[in-house]
């Protein structure tokens, strides 16, 4: 009798254990099934959040059916419960295990903001202010406050930030991106300065940066950068004025309305290179690495002038007579589909070209 009872108790225990094991296996198996998502969702893990809270939040937001299985999984595999704070993107087809792996690895959601070659610092600030996923710290700051914050107190901001696409997470601010762009420009300029040609008319890397910004604004196609830089370098070396329209436009500020008139070329500003000798006092735009390289490694040709052809490229000339002929051909008798990059409209009242 006792033997039969013992067998019965043992059998019941085995069945119970088997049932519990099956229940546990089936429950944990749900973590391997795709989550019911029709579109990507963002999930935020605040700093200091415990794993049990993360599991509960996943259930509350409908990303898992029961947080119990997540909590049991975390007990069985503690290394898979070490989630990191941040904002994560979960996409259709992901399983709960994959979501956990994403949070454990800290693979947070990244957004991007792009600063374009040839933009001004004001354009940069507008792009940062309009990005709806970026934490804003500097929106109401002055340019001077920003330069102080990035470690360049008293310096002019134009041209000091490297144009590129920058990725960021929800924990980063506009100041973080400005600092990265400033540091990158400092590094790139130093690298290019180390590899510069000899005999250039620059005393400092900053002067090369000014030239690079002009090259950036004058160049419609990348392969012309060295030629454009060569023209400007030779003009400086010969004591000729640069006479480049983008500097005039920059000096006009808000008064520029899409075209340059003769009176604009005659008006004095520190940036009007038809009136001043040498370089303007600061860069006029954000130059990319290509423009910086060109400014420090210009073409060694003979051209001293160039004018826009109307197709995005330029006609380079060695003499003023050649240049005036090119102006008559490409500027005074413009084709219907004329375009220049950057486009500058002029009245036909004496303004005669980009450099000359």
């Amino acid at each position: 009798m006792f033997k039969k009872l013992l067998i019965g108790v043992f059998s019941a225990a085995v069945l119970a254990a088997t049932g519990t094991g099956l229940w546990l296996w089936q429950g944990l198996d749900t973590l391997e099934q795709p989550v019911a998502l029709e579109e990507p969702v963002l999930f935020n893990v605040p700093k200091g959040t415990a794993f049990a809270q993360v599991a509960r939040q996943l259930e509350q937001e409908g990303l898992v059916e029961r947080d119990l299985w997540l909590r049991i999984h975390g007990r069985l595999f503690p290394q898979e419960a070490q989630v990191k704070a941040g904002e994560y993107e979960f996409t259709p087809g992901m399983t709960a295990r994959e979501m956990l792996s994403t949070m454990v690895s800290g693979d947070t959601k990244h957004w991007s903001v792009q600063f374009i070659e040839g933009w001004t610092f004001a354009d940069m600030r507008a792009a940062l202010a309009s990005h709806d996923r970026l934490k804003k710290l500097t929106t109401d700051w002055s340019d001077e406050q920003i330069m102080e914050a990035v470690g360049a107190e008293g310096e002019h901001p134009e041209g000091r930030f490297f144009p590129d696409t920058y990725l960021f997470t929800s924990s980063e601010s506009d100041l973080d991106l400005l600092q990265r762009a400033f540091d990158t420009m400092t590094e790139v300029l130093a690298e290019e300065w180390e590899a510069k040609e000899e005999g250039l008319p620059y005393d400092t890397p900053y002067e090369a940066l000014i030239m690079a910004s002009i090259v950036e604004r004058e160049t419609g196609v990348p392969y012309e950068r060295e030629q454009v830089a060569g023209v400007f370098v030779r003009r400086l070396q010969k004591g000729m004025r640069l006479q480049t329209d983008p500097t005039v436009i920059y000096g006009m500020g808000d008064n520029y309305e899409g075209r340059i008139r003769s009176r604009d070329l005659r008006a004095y500003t520190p940036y009007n290179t038809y009136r001043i000798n040498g370089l303007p006092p600061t860069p006029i735009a954000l130059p990319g690495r290509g423009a910086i390289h060109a400014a420090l490694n210009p073409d060694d040709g003979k051209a001293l002038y160039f004018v826009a052809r109307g197709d995005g490229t330029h006609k380079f000339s060695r003499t003023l007579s050649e240049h005036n002929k090119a102006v008559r051909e490409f500027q005074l008798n413009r084709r219907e589909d004329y375009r220049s990059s950057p486009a500058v409209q002029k009245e036909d009242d004496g303004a005669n070209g980009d450099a000359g």
Side-chain angles (χ1 to χ4, degrees), residues 83-348:
V83 298
K84 296 179 175 62
E87 193 166 26
Y88 299 91
E89 182 179 52
F90 299 146
T91 57
M94 290 184 74
T95 67
R97 282 285 301 276
E98 290 171 336
M99 292 191 299
L100 279 183
S101 296
T102 298
M103 292 185 285
V104 170
S105 67
D107 186 13
T108 54
K109 170 67 176 177
H110 285 75
W111 286 269
S112 67
V113 63
Q114 187 177 25
F115 305 142
I116 307 296
E117 291 91 343
W119 271 11
T120 63
F121 185 59
D123 294 329
M124 272 188 67
R125 295 200 63 179
L128 292 171
S130 65
H131 203 299
D132 59 359
R133 303 300 308 192
L134 184 61
K135 188 187 303 181
K136 312 297 194 309
L137 293 181
T138 69
T139 302
D140 297 325
W141 289 13
S142 66
D143 290 353
E144 291 76 15
Q145 287 175 300
I146 289 176
M147 294 307 289
E148 181 178 358
V150 300
E153 183 177 2
E155 297 182 20
H156 198 281
E158 200 67 78
R160 298 300 303 278
F161 299 83
F162 191 73
D164 203 350
T165 298
Y166 293 88
L167 301 179
F168 65 92
T169 67
S170 59
S171 65
E172 294 179 282
S173 70
D174 53 358
L175 181 57
D176 293 319
L177 296 187
L178 286 165
Q179 186 70 65
R180 284 162 56 188
F182 179 84
D183 292 343
T184 301
M185 179 59 85
T186 301
E187 294 169 6
V188 168
L189 183 58
E191 291 170 1
E192 294 293 339
W193 181 261
E194 283 296 313
K196 71 181 186 301
E197 288 188 4
E198 296 300 321
L200 296 174
Y202 317 127
D203 293 327
T204 65
Y206 188 67
E207 290 181 349
L209 186 67
I210 296 172
M211 176 63 82
S213 73
I214 298 172
V215 171
E216 189 69 73
R217 291 293 293 128
E218 277 283 18
T219 310
V221 289
Y223 65 79
E224 286 189 345
R225 289 184 183 126
E226 283 77 11
Q227 288 178 278
V228 169
V231 168
F232 289 137
V233 165
R234 285 186 288 277
R235 292 176 76 93
L236 287 180
Q237 290 171 332
K238 291 177 178 293
M240 300 172 66
R241 289 178 176 172
L242 294 182
Q243 296 184 321
T244 171
D245 296 345
T247 62
V248 178
I249 293 170
Y250 187 83
M252 292 171 67
D254 293 338
N255 292 324
Y256 177 67
E257 297 179 347
R259 59 183 177 178
I260 299 175
R261 300 172 176 85
S262 290
R263 64 172 177 267
D264 299 319
L265 299 180
R266 292 191 298 268
Y268 175 82
T269 76
Y271 293 88
N272 185 349
T273 52
Y274 287 84
R275 294 291 311 277
I276 68 169
N277 297 320
L279 294 166
T282 74
I284 61 171
L286 308 178
R289 184 185 280 271
I292 296 172
H293 183 81
L296 290 165
N297 298 272
D299 175 76
D300 60 357
K302 302 295 184 182
L304 291 171
Y305 309 87
F306 61 85
V307 66
R309 294 176 183 269
D311 62 357
T313 66
H314 293 87
K315 170 66 175 177
F316 294 84
S317 302
R318 297 177 60 178
T319 67
L320 181 58
S321 60
E322 290 175 0
H323 175 63
N324 288 336
K325 180 180 178 181
V327 169
R328 288 193 295 271
E329 179 179 358
F330 297 112
Q331 290 281 315
L332 301 184
N333 299 300
R334 291 185 177 181
R335 45 197 268 185
E336 290 185 4
D337 61 346
Y338 179 94
R339 67 180 180 85
S340 176
S341 181
V344 177
Q345 275 192 308
K346 300 177 186 174
E347 294 180 335
D348 293 334

Side-chain angles (χ1 to χ4, degrees), residues 6-75:
L6 184 61
I7 292 173
V9 170
F10 178 76
S11 298
V14 169
L15 289 173
T18 301
T20 299
L22 180 62
W23 170 78
L24 184 62
W25 177 83
Q26 290 175 332
L28 292 176
D29 187 60
T30 62
L31 304 181
E32 306 290 348
Q33 305 304 315
V35 176
L37 286 178
E38 295 183 357
E39 59 185 19
V41 298
L42 296 176
F43 184 80
N44 185 53
V45 180
K47 190 174 182 179
T49 305
F51 180 73
Q53 293 175 288
V54 173
R56 189 177 308 113
Q57 185 179 346
L58 286 167
E59 179 183 323
Q60 291 171 347
E61 297 187 17
L63 297 173
V64 297
E65 290 186 10
R66 295 185 64 187
D67 69 327
L68 171 65
W69 307 121
L70 282 174
R71 289 187 282 109
I72 292 175
H73 179 82
R75 290 292 183 87

